[in-house]
Amino acid sequence: MGESTGPGPGPGSRPGTLHTRLLIEVPDPAALSVAQTCGRACVWCAVVLTTENAVELGPRCERRFDTDFVWFPRGCRLCTEPHACRVVLDHVQSCEQCADETGHCTEGKALRQTLKGVRR
């Protein structure tokens, strides 16, 4: 029913920023509460988010009933960490540059920086 897309890296993309967070999969917004789709609650556990525990997951574009809309998912640090770890591991295991030398892959470096930010 829904098709999720996100903007790719643009001219303003920097390591550890929005582009890498778009790689973290989030639940279908049709199954979420209004608070979760508005970014006031974690998309996974629905805990109320504060500036201390919230992690921005990047804007997502959804298509519902022939209409496009953008939503801004956020997660709590406890829920976001395992999802970010999975993205980092998936990348490192499939990236030839990361297998040779982790410091040479800009995407791998950005993913590790994102994970570090989640763990702060």
Side-chain angles (χ1 to χ4, degrees):
M1 179 181 233
E3 185 177 312
S4 182
T5 61
S13 293
R14 295 186 323 259
T17 59
L18 188 59
H19 167 63
T20 56
R21 293 178 185 176
L22 292 174
L23 298 173
I24 298 172
E25 290 186 33
V26 296
D28 183 351
L32 302 176
S33 70
V34 172
Q36 288 172 300
T37 59
C38 292
R40 293 189 312 261
C42 175
V43 294
W44 292 289
C45 72
V47 69
V48 174
L49 296 172
T50 66
T51 55
E52 289 82 27
N53 72 347
V55 176
E56 301 283 338
L57 299 173
R60 312 295 167 112
C61 183
E62 296 286 331
R63 183 146 184 90
R64 300 274 183 210
F65 307 110
D66 297 327
T67 303
D68 291 331
F69 74 94
V70 178
W71 65 296
F72 301 88
R74 298 192 320 161
C76 69
R77 293 191 186 286
L78 289 175
C79 290
T80 304
E81 184 177 2
H83 293 278
C85 282
R86 188 171 14 257
V87 171
V88 170
L89 287 175
D90 288 347
H91 174 80
V92 169
Q93 291 174 350
S94 64
C95 176
E96 190 173 318
Q97 282 185 322
C98 285
D100 294 341
E101 176 62 47
T102 57
H104 293 306
C105 176
T106 56
E107 186 169 357
K109 183 178 180 180
L111 288 167
R112 288 188 300 280
Q113 287 176 344
T114 297
L115 181 59
K116 185 178 180 180
V118 169
R119 289 179 170 169
R120 70 170 174 92

mmCIF file of all heavy atoms in Angstrom, residues 39-87:
data_model
loop_
_atom_site.group_PDB
_atom_site.id
_atom_site.type_symbol
_atom_site.label_atom_id
_atom_site.label_comp_id
_atom_site.label_asym_id
_atom_site.label_seq_id
_atom_site.Cartn_x
_atom_site.Cartn_y
_atom_site.Cartn_z
ATOM 1 N N GLY A 39 6.977 12.484 15.113
ATOM 2 C CA GLY A 39 8.278 12.535 15.750
ATOM 3 C C GLY A 39 8.244 12.858 17.229
ATOM 4 O O GLY A 39 9.282 13.114 17.833
ATOM 5 N N ARG A 40 7.066 12.824 17.831
ATOM 6 C CA ARG A 40 6.970 13.082 19.277
ATOM 7 C C ARG A 40 7.188 11.818 20.093
ATOM 8 O O ARG A 40 7.428 11.878 21.295
ATOM 9 C CB ARG A 40 5.601 13.686 19.611
ATOM 10 C CG ARG A 40 5.396 15.070 19.032
ATOM 11 C CD ARG A 40 4.133 15.735 19.548
ATOM 12 N NE ARG A 40 2.956 14.902 19.491
ATOM 13 C CZ ARG A 40 2.020 14.943 18.525
ATOM 14 N NH1 ARG A 40 2.150 15.786 17.533
ATOM 15 N NH2 ARG A 40 0.974 14.152 18.574
ATOM 16 N N ALA A 41 7.090 10.652 19.436
ATOM 17 C CA ALA A 41 7.270 9.366 20.114
ATOM 18 C C ALA A 41 8.135 8.461 19.235
ATOM 19 O O ALA A 41 8.139 8.579 18.010
ATOM 20 C CB ALA A 41 5.913 8.712 20.381
ATOM 21 N N CYS A 42 8.831 7.554 19.867
ATOM 22 C CA CYS A 42 9.707 6.608 19.163
ATOM 23 C C CYS A 42 8.879 5.748 18.200
ATOM 24 O O CYS A 42 7.817 5.250 18.567
ATOM 25 C CB CYS A 42 10.412 5.713 20.186
ATOM 26 S SG CYS A 42 11.413 4.398 19.452
ATOM 27 N N VAL A 43 9.392 5.567 16.985
ATOM 28 C CA VAL A 43 8.663 4.773 15.994
ATOM 29 C C VAL A 43 8.617 3.292 16.354
ATOM 30 O O VAL A 43 7.774 2.569 15.838
ATOM 31 C CB VAL A 43 9.235 4.937 14.564
ATOM 32 C CG1 VAL A 43 9.037 6.342 14.043
ATOM 33 C CG2 VAL A 43 10.698 4.537 14.494
ATOM 34 N N TRP A 44 9.507 2.831 17.240
ATOM 35 C CA TRP A 44 9.516 1.419 17.603
ATOM 36 C C TRP A 44 8.796 1.124 18.919
ATOM 37 O O TRP A 44 8.000 0.203 18.989
ATOM 38 C CB TRP A 44 10.954 0.890 17.671
ATOM 39 C CG TRP A 44 11.603 0.850 16.321
ATOM 40 C CD1 TRP A 44 11.309 -0.001 15.293
ATOM 41 C CD2 TRP A 44 12.629 1.709 15.841
ATOM 42 N NE1 TRP A 44 12.096 0.279 14.208
ATOM 43 C CE2 TRP A 44 12.927 1.325 14.508
ATOM 44 C CE3 TRP A 44 13.337 2.768 16.396
ATOM 45 C CZ2 TRP A 44 13.901 1.943 13.744
ATOM 46 C CZ3 TRP A 44 14.298 3.391 15.631
ATOM 47 C CH2 TRP A 44 14.577 2.983 14.316
ATOM 48 N N CYS A 45 9.069 1.896 19.965
ATOM 49 C CA CYS A 45 8.491 1.562 21.277
ATOM 50 C C CYS A 45 7.459 2.577 21.764
ATOM 51 O O CYS A 45 6.841 2.368 22.799
ATOM 52 C CB CYS A 45 9.590 1.412 22.324
ATOM 53 S SG CYS A 45 10.371 2.974 22.813
ATOM 54 N N ALA A 46 7.274 3.675 21.055
ATOM 55 C CA ALA A 46 6.283 4.714 21.350
ATOM 56 C C ALA A 46 6.569 5.525 22.613
ATOM 57 O O ALA A 46 5.707 6.270 23.063
ATOM 58 C CB ALA A 46 4.874 4.138 21.398
ATOM 59 N N VAL A 47 7.773 5.422 23.182
ATOM 60 C CA VAL A 47 8.108 6.247 24.333
ATOM 61 C C VAL A 47 8.132 7.715 23.887
ATOM 62 O O VAL A 47 8.515 8.022 22.753
ATOM 63 C CB VAL A 47 9.463 5.827 24.954
ATOM 64 C CG1 VAL A 47 10.632 6.164 24.048
ATOM 65 C CG2 VAL A 47 9.666 6.465 26.301
ATOM 66 N N VAL A 48 7.701 8.605 24.757
ATOM 67 C CA VAL A 48 7.719 10.037 24.452
ATOM 68 C C VAL A 48 9.174 10.481 24.347
ATOM 69 O O VAL A 48 10.002 10.152 25.199
ATOM 70 C CB VAL A 48 6.977 10.839 25.540
ATOM 71 C CG1 VAL A 48 7.114 12.334 25.303
ATOM 72 C CG2 VAL A 48 5.510 10.440 25.574
ATOM 73 N N LEU A 49 9.473 11.226 23.295
ATOM 74 C CA LEU A 49 10.851 11.640 23.039
ATOM 75 C C LEU A 49 11.135 13.029 23.589
ATOM 76 O O LEU A 49 10.262 13.898 23.604
ATOM 77 C CB LEU A 49 11.134 11.608 21.539
ATOM 78 C CG LEU A 49 11.050 10.224 20.903
ATOM 79 C CD1 LEU A 49 11.157 10.313 19.395
ATOM 80 C CD2 LEU A 49 12.127 9.309 21.463
ATOM 81 N N THR A 50 12.376 13.206 24.031
ATOM 82 C CA THR A 50 12.870 14.488 24.502
ATOM 83 C C THR A 50 14.116 14.827 23.699
ATOM 84 O O THR A 50 14.597 13.991 22.917
ATOM 85 C CB THR A 50 13.243 14.419 25.999
ATOM 86 O OG1 THR A 50 14.353 13.523 26.146
ATOM 87 C CG2 THR A 50 12.071 13.952 26.851
ATOM 88 N N THR A 51 14.664 15.997 23.919
ATOM 89 C CA THR A 51 15.893 16.345 23.207
ATOM 90 C C THR A 51 17.058 15.465 23.644
ATOM 91 O O THR A 51 18.001 15.281 22.887
ATOM 92 C CB THR A 51 16.258 17.831 23.431
ATOM 93 O OG1 THR A 51 16.342 18.088 24.833
ATOM 94 C CG2 THR A 51 15.228 18.741 22.798
ATOM 95 N N GLU A 52 16.981 14.884 24.830
ATOM 96 C CA GLU A 52 18.066 14.034 25.324
ATOM 97 C C GLU A 52 18.031 12.619 24.746
ATOM 98 O O GLU A 52 19.064 11.994 24.572
ATOM 99 C CB GLU A 52 18.036 13.932 26.859
ATOM 100 C CG GLU A 52 18.446 15.203 27.564
ATOM 101 C CD GLU A 52 17.289 16.207 27.670
ATOM 102 O OE1 GLU A 52 16.126 15.772 27.692
ATOM 103 O OE2 GLU A 52 17.567 17.410 27.694
ATOM 104 N N ASN A 53 16.839 12.089 24.467
ATOM 105 C CA ASN A 53 16.777 10.684 24.050
ATOM 106 C C ASN A 53 16.368 10.486 22.591
ATOM 107 O O ASN A 53 16.301 9.358 22.124
ATOM 108 C CB ASN A 53 15.848 9.880 24.968
ATOM 109 C CG ASN A 53 14.376 10.205 24.772
ATOM 110 O OD1 ASN A 53 14.014 11.180 24.128
ATOM 111 N ND2 ASN A 53 13.515 9.383 25.347
ATOM 112 N N ALA A 54 16.109 11.554 21.863
ATOM 113 C CA ALA A 54 15.627 11.424 20.479
ATOM 114 C C ALA A 54 16.768 11.347 19.471
ATOM 115 O O ALA A 54 17.791 12.012 19.610
ATOM 116 C CB ALA A 54 14.722 12.600 20.133
ATOM 117 N N VAL A 55 16.561 10.512 18.449
ATOM 118 C CA VAL A 55 17.496 10.403 17.326
ATOM 119 C C VAL A 55 16.696 10.658 16.057
ATOM 120 O O VAL A 55 15.710 9.974 15.782
ATOM 121 C CB VAL A 55 18.135 8.992 17.257
ATOM 122 C CG1 VAL A 55 19.027 8.881 16.030
ATOM 123 C CG2 VAL A 55 18.891 8.678 18.523
ATOM 124 N N GLU A 56 17.117 11.663 15.296
ATOM 125 C CA GLU A 56 16.467 11.975 14.024
ATOM 126 C C GLU A 56 16.792 10.861 13.029
ATOM 127 O O GLU A 56 17.949 10.479 12.886
ATOM 128 C CB GLU A 56 16.989 13.303 13.469
ATOM 129 C CG GLU A 56 16.769 14.491 14.370
ATOM 130 C CD GLU A 56 15.345 14.992 14.345
ATOM 131 O OE1 GLU A 56 14.633 14.726 13.365
ATOM 132 O OE2 GLU A 56 14.947 15.646 15.315
ATOM 133 N N LEU A 57 15.787 10.348 12.351
ATOM 134 C CA LEU A 57 15.997 9.264 11.387
ATOM 135 C C LEU A 57 15.856 9.724 9.945
ATOM 136 O O LEU A 57 15.902 8.922 9.026
ATOM 137 C CB LEU A 57 15.011 8.126 11.688
ATOM 138 C CG LEU A 57 15.179 7.516 13.080
ATOM 139 C CD1 LEU A 57 14.062 6.531 13.375
ATOM 140 C CD2 LEU A 57 16.540 6.859 13.227
ATOM 141 N N GLY A 58 15.688 11.003 9.746
ATOM 142 C CA GLY A 58 15.627 11.565 8.403
ATOM 143 C C GLY A 58 14.220 11.566 7.830
ATOM 144 O O GLY A 58 13.430 10.669 8.109
ATOM 145 N N PRO A 59 13.902 12.568 7.030
ATOM 146 C CA PRO A 59 12.568 12.653 6.431
ATOM 147 C C PRO A 59 12.335 11.505 5.458
ATOM 148 O O PRO A 59 13.260 11.065 4.768
ATOM 149 C CB PRO A 59 12.572 13.998 5.706
ATOM 150 C CG PRO A 59 14.009 14.300 5.474
ATOM 151 C CD PRO A 59 14.767 13.657 6.592
ATOM 152 N N ARG A 60 11.126 11.024 5.435
ATOM 153 C CA ARG A 60 10.734 9.937 4.531
ATOM 154 C C ARG A 60 9.552 10.397 3.693
ATOM 155 O O ARG A 60 8.673 11.098 4.189
ATOM 156 C CB ARG A 60 10.333 8.684 5.314
ATOM 157 C CG ARG A 60 11.297 8.261 6.402
ATOM 158 C CD ARG A 60 12.655 7.830 5.830
ATOM 159 N NE ARG A 60 13.663 7.730 6.867
ATOM 160 C CZ ARG A 60 14.209 6.596 7.261
ATOM 161 N NH1 ARG A 60 13.861 5.457 6.720
ATOM 162 N NH2 ARG A 60 15.142 6.610 8.197
ATOM 163 N N CYS A 61 9.539 9.989 2.467
ATOM 164 C CA CYS A 61 8.433 10.320 1.577
ATOM 165 C C CYS A 61 7.600 9.062 1.368
ATOM 166 O O CYS A 61 8.138 8.005 1.032
ATOM 167 C CB CYS A 61 8.966 10.836 0.246
ATOM 168 S SG CYS A 61 7.667 11.364 -0.883
ATOM 169 N N GLU A 62 6.327 9.171 1.618
ATOM 170 C CA GLU A 62 5.393 8.042 1.467
ATOM 171 C C GLU A 62 4.325 8.398 0.447
ATOM 172 O O GLU A 62 3.955 9.552 0.298
ATOM 173 C CB GLU A 62 4.710 7.736 2.804
ATOM 174 C CG GLU A 62 5.632 7.277 3.890
ATOM 175 C CD GLU A 62 6.109 5.855 3.702
ATOM 176 O OE1 GLU A 62 5.381 5.032 3.109
ATOM 177 O OE2 GLU A 62 7.211 5.556 4.175
ATOM 178 N N ARG A 63 3.821 7.395 -0.206
ATOM 179 C CA ARG A 63 2.716 7.588 -1.143
ATOM 180 C C ARG A 63 1.526 6.812 -0.604
ATOM 181 O O ARG A 63 1.577 5.603 -0.441
ATOM 182 C CB ARG A 63 3.086 7.084 -2.527
ATOM 183 C CG ARG A 63 2.008 7.324 -3.541
ATOM 184 C CD ARG A 63 2.654 7.604 -4.901
ATOM 185 N NE ARG A 63 1.659 7.923 -5.889
ATOM 186 C CZ ARG A 63 1.231 9.149 -6.146
ATOM 187 N NH1 ARG A 63 1.735 10.158 -5.491
ATOM 188 N NH2 ARG A 63 0.337 9.372 -7.067
ATOM 189 N N ARG A 64 0.449 7.518 -0.308
ATOM 190 C CA ARG A 64 -0.786 6.931 0.206
ATOM 191 C C ARG A 64 -1.957 7.509 -0.560
ATOM 192 O O ARG A 64 -2.098 8.730 -0.657
ATOM 193 C CB ARG A 64 -0.983 7.250 1.693
ATOM 194 C CG ARG A 64 0.102 6.741 2.578
ATOM 195 C CD ARG A 64 -0.151 5.329 2.984
ATOM 196 N NE ARG A 64 0.912 4.925 3.893
ATOM 197 C CZ ARG A 64 1.329 3.710 3.990
ATOM 198 N NH1 ARG A 64 0.783 2.764 3.293
ATOM 199 N NH2 ARG A 64 2.299 3.404 4.821
ATOM 200 N N PHE A 65 -2.780 6.639 -1.062
ATOM 201 C CA PHE A 65 -4.000 7.060 -1.754
ATOM 202 C C PHE A 65 -3.707 8.132 -2.805
ATOM 203 O O PHE A 65 -4.343 9.176 -2.850
ATOM 204 C CB PHE A 65 -5.052 7.554 -0.752
ATOM 205 C CG PHE A 65 -5.335 6.568 0.334
ATOM 206 C CD1 PHE A 65 -4.928 6.806 1.639
ATOM 207 C CD2 PHE A 65 -5.968 5.366 0.054
ATOM 208 C CE1 PHE A 65 -5.164 5.884 2.645
ATOM 209 C CE2 PHE A 65 -6.209 4.432 1.049
ATOM 210 C CZ PHE A 65 -5.812 4.698 2.344
ATOM 211 N N ASP A 66 -2.715 7.874 -3.646
ATOM 212 C CA ASP A 66 -2.313 8.772 -4.729
ATOM 213 C C ASP A 66 -1.864 10.148 -4.260
ATOM 214 O O ASP A 66 -1.947 11.120 -4.994
ATOM 215 C CB ASP A 66 -3.446 8.916 -5.764
ATOM 216 C CG ASP A 66 -3.762 7.593 -6.442
ATOM 217 O OD1 ASP A 66 -2.827 6.791 -6.625
ATOM 218 O OD2 ASP A 66 -4.926 7.364 -6.775
ATOM 219 N N THR A 67 -1.409 10.232 -3.041
ATOM 220 C CA THR A 67 -0.910 11.487 -2.496
ATOM 221 C C THR A 67 0.439 11.240 -1.844
ATOM 222 O O THR A 67 0.610 10.273 -1.102
ATOM 223 C CB THR A 67 -1.883 12.056 -1.430
ATOM 224 O OG1 THR A 67 -3.167 12.213 -2.028
ATOM 225 C CG2 THR A 67 -1.397 13.386 -0.911
ATOM 226 N N ASP A 68 1.388 12.110 -2.102
ATOM 227 C CA ASP A 68 2.699 12.020 -1.467
ATOM 228 C C ASP A 68 2.691 12.841 -0.192
ATOM 229 O O ASP A 68 2.108 13.932 -0.151
ATOM 230 C CB ASP A 68 3.786 12.571 -2.381
ATOM 231 C CG ASP A 68 4.023 11.684 -3.599
ATOM 232 O OD1 ASP A 68 3.801 10.473 -3.495
ATOM 233 O OD2 ASP A 68 4.434 12.213 -4.642
ATOM 234 N N PHE A 69 3.304 12.328 0.845
ATOM 235 C CA PHE A 69 3.497 13.113 2.056
ATOM 236 C C PHE A 69 4.852 12.796 2.651
ATOM 237 O O PHE A 69 5.400 11.728 2.457
ATOM 238 C CB PHE A 69 2.356 12.905 3.069
ATOM 239 C CG PHE A 69 2.377 11.589 3.795
ATOM 240 C CD1 PHE A 69 2.990 11.468 5.039
ATOM 241 C CD2 PHE A 69 1.768 10.467 3.249
ATOM 242 C CE1 PHE A 69 3.007 10.263 5.709
ATOM 243 C CE2 PHE A 69 1.775 9.251 3.923
ATOM 244 C CZ PHE A 69 2.400 9.146 5.158
ATOM 245 N N VAL A 70 5.382 13.757 3.367
ATOM 246 C CA VAL A 70 6.676 13.608 4.017
ATOM 247 C C VAL A 70 6.446 13.519 5.515
ATOM 248 O O VAL A 70 5.645 14.272 6.073
ATOM 249 C CB VAL A 70 7.592 14.806 3.695
ATOM 250 C CG1 VAL A 70 8.929 14.680 4.424
ATOM 251 C CG2 VAL A 70 7.812 14.921 2.202
ATOM 252 N N TRP A 71 7.121 12.578 6.135
ATOM 253 C CA TRP A 71 7.045 12.467 7.596
ATOM 254 C C TRP A 71 8.448 12.381 8.158
ATOM 255 O O TRP A 71 9.400 12.121 7.437
ATOM 256 C CB TRP A 71 6.150 11.311 8.019
ATOM 257 C CG TRP A 71 6.620 9.925 7.664
ATOM 258 C CD1 TRP A 71 6.787 9.406 6.417
ATOM 259 C CD2 TRP A 71 6.975 8.894 8.577
ATOM 260 N NE1 TRP A 71 7.216 8.105 6.497
ATOM 261 C CE2 TRP A 71 7.327 7.762 7.810
ATOM 262 C CE3 TRP A 71 7.003 8.797 9.957
ATOM 263 C CZ2 TRP A 71 7.723 6.569 8.384
ATOM 264 C CZ3 TRP A 71 7.389 7.603 10.537
ATOM 265 C CH2 TRP A 71 7.741 6.506 9.750
ATOM 266 N N PHE A 72 8.577 12.676 9.446
ATOM 267 C CA PHE A 72 9.878 12.836 10.077
ATOM 268 C C PHE A 72 10.014 11.900 11.266
ATOM 269 O O PHE A 72 9.842 12.304 12.413
ATOM 270 C CB PHE A 72 10.054 14.299 10.513
ATOM 271 C CG PHE A 72 9.960 15.251 9.356
ATOM 272 C CD1 PHE A 72 8.727 15.762 8.960
ATOM 273 C CD2 PHE A 72 11.091 15.604 8.647
ATOM 274 C CE1 PHE A 72 8.632 16.621 7.885
ATOM 275 C CE2 PHE A 72 10.992 16.469 7.569
ATOM 276 C CZ PHE A 72 9.771 16.977 7.186
ATOM 277 N N PRO A 73 10.339 10.632 11.012
ATOM 278 C CA PRO A 73 10.443 9.669 12.107
ATOM 279 C C PRO A 73 11.629 9.959 13.021
ATOM 280 O O PRO A 73 12.666 10.455 12.581
ATOM 281 C CB PRO A 73 10.619 8.331 11.396
ATOM 282 C CG PRO A 73 11.254 8.688 10.097
ATOM 283 C CD PRO A 73 10.688 10.030 9.734
ATOM 284 N N ARG A 74 11.421 9.641 14.283
ATOM 285 C CA ARG A 74 12.489 9.717 15.276
ATOM 286 C C ARG A 74 12.390 8.480 16.146
ATOM 287 O O ARG A 74 11.332 7.878 16.270
ATOM 288 C CB ARG A 74 12.361 10.970 16.147
ATOM 289 C CG ARG A 74 12.481 12.246 15.355
ATOM 290 C CD ARG A 74 12.638 13.514 16.163
ATOM 291 N NE ARG A 74 11.840 13.621 17.351
ATOM 292 C CZ ARG A 74 12.095 14.462 18.343
ATOM 293 N NH1 ARG A 74 13.136 15.271 18.285
ATOM 294 N NH2 ARG A 74 11.321 14.520 19.406
ATOM 295 N N GLY A 75 13.505 8.104 16.712
ATOM 296 C CA GLY A 75 13.523 6.953 17.603
ATOM 297 C C GLY A 75 14.237 7.300 18.884
ATOM 298 O O GLY A 75 14.998 8.265 18.946
ATOM 299 N N CYS A 76 13.998 6.509 19.917
ATOM 300 C CA CYS A 76 14.761 6.688 21.151
ATOM 301 C C CYS A 76 16.125 6.024 20.944
ATOM 302 O O CYS A 76 16.294 5.173 20.077
ATOM 303 C CB CYS A 76 14.014 6.091 22.346
ATOM 304 S SG CYS A 76 13.912 4.296 22.355
ATOM 305 N N ARG A 77 17.083 6.412 21.739
ATOM 306 C CA ARG A 77 18.440 5.864 21.590
ATOM 307 C C ARG A 77 18.479 4.351 21.814
ATOM 308 O O ARG A 77 19.183 3.638 21.106
ATOM 309 C CB ARG A 77 19.396 6.555 22.557
ATOM 310 C CG ARG A 77 19.592 8.015 22.202
ATOM 311 C CD ARG A 77 20.726 8.669 22.960
ATOM 312 N NE ARG A 77 20.761 10.088 22.661
ATOM 313 C CZ ARG A 77 21.185 10.601 21.512
ATOM 314 N NH1 ARG A 77 21.610 9.806 20.560
ATOM 315 N NH2 ARG A 77 21.175 11.904 21.313
ATOM 316 N N LEU A 78 17.713 3.861 22.771
ATOM 317 C CA LEU A 78 17.711 2.424 23.052
ATOM 318 C C LEU A 78 17.220 1.601 21.864
ATOM 319 O O LEU A 78 17.758 0.534 21.571
ATOM 320 C CB LEU A 78 16.845 2.123 24.276
ATOM 321 C CG LEU A 78 17.413 2.578 25.618
ATOM 322 C CD1 LEU A 78 16.390 2.337 26.732
ATOM 323 C CD2 LEU A 78 18.706 1.843 25.924
ATOM 324 N N CYS A 79 16.197 2.080 21.180
ATOM 325 C CA CYS A 79 15.658 1.340 20.031
ATOM 326 C C CYS A 79 16.479 1.567 18.760
ATOM 327 O O CYS A 79 16.614 0.666 17.936
ATOM 328 C CB CYS A 79 14.211 1.744 19.755
ATOM 329 S SG CYS A 79 13.035 1.194 20.997
ATOM 330 N N THR A 80 17.031 2.765 18.600
ATOM 331 C CA THR A 80 17.756 3.092 17.371
ATOM 332 C C THR A 80 19.093 2.384 17.292
ATOM 333 O O THR A 80 19.521 1.980 16.204
ATOM 334 C CB THR A 80 17.953 4.616 17.260
ATOM 335 O OG1 THR A 80 16.681 5.257 17.331
ATOM 336 C CG2 THR A 80 18.611 4.991 15.944
ATOM 337 N N GLU A 81 19.748 2.180 18.423
ATOM 338 C CA GLU A 81 21.086 1.586 18.403
ATOM 339 C C GLU A 81 21.155 0.235 17.688
ATOM 340 O O GLU A 81 22.007 0.049 16.813
ATOM 341 C CB GLU A 81 21.656 1.460 19.820
ATOM 342 C CG GLU A 81 23.078 0.926 19.795
ATOM 343 C CD GLU A 81 23.729 0.851 21.168
ATOM 344 O OE1 GLU A 81 23.067 1.175 22.177
ATOM 345 O OE2 GLU A 81 24.899 0.455 21.216
ATOM 346 N N PRO A 82 20.290 -0.748 17.998
ATOM 347 C CA PRO A 82 20.419 -2.028 17.287
ATOM 348 C C PRO A 82 20.140 -1.907 15.777
ATOM 349 O O PRO A 82 20.762 -2.612 14.985
ATOM 350 C CB PRO A 82 19.399 -2.940 17.971
ATOM 351 C CG PRO A 82 18.535 -2.072 18.797
ATOM 352 C CD PRO A 82 19.268 -0.801 19.041
ATOM 353 N N HIS A 83 19.257 -1.002 15.395
ATOM 354 C CA HIS A 83 18.978 -0.805 13.971
ATOM 355 C C HIS A 83 20.181 -0.171 13.272
ATOM 356 O O HIS A 83 20.541 -0.566 12.160
ATOM 357 C CB HIS A 83 17.726 0.060 13.787
ATOM 358 C CG HIS A 83 16.475 -0.610 14.239
ATOM 359 N ND1 HIS A 83 15.782 -1.507 13.458
ATOM 360 C CD2 HIS A 83 15.796 -0.535 15.407
ATOM 361 C CE1 HIS A 83 14.731 -1.953 14.121
ATOM 362 N NE2 HIS A 83 14.717 -1.386 15.314
ATOM 363 N N ALA A 84 20.819 0.796 13.935
ATOM 364 C CA ALA A 84 22.013 1.424 13.376
ATOM 365 C C ALA A 84 23.168 0.417 13.306
ATOM 366 O O ALA A 84 23.906 0.385 12.320
ATOM 367 C CB ALA A 84 22.401 2.640 14.207
ATOM 368 N N CYS A 85 23.312 -0.411 14.331
ATOM 369 C CA CYS A 85 24.358 -1.455 14.322
ATOM 370 C C CYS A 85 24.180 -2.395 13.140
ATOM 371 O O CYS A 85 25.149 -2.752 12.464
ATOM 372 C CB CYS A 85 24.326 -2.262 15.612
ATOM 373 S SG CYS A 85 25.074 -1.462 17.014
ATOM 374 N N ARG A 86 22.938 -2.788 12.889
ATOM 375 C CA ARG A 86 22.660 -3.703 11.787
ATOM 376 C C ARG A 86 23.059 -3.079 10.442
ATOM 377 O O ARG A 86 23.645 -3.737 9.588
ATOM 378 C CB ARG A 86 21.181 -4.083 11.788
ATOM 379 C CG ARG A 86 20.839 -5.168 10.802
ATOM 380 C CD ARG A 86 19.431 -5.728 10.921
ATOM 381 N NE ARG A 86 18.493 -4.971 11.731
ATOM 382 C CZ ARG A 86 18.123 -5.296 12.970
ATOM 383 N NH1 ARG A 86 18.632 -6.359 13.558
ATOM 384 N NH2 ARG A 86 17.248 -4.557 13.633
ATOM 385 N N VAL A 87 22.767 -1.785 10.256
ATOM 386 C CA VAL A 87 23.124 -1.098 9.013
ATOM 387 C C VAL A 87 24.643 -1.041 8.864
ATOM 388 O O VAL A 87 25.174 -1.293 7.778
ATOM 389 C CB VAL A 87 22.499 0.323 8.970
ATOM 390 C CG1 VAL A 87 23.041 1.123 7.800
ATOM 391 C CG2 VAL A 87 20.984 0.234 8.885
#
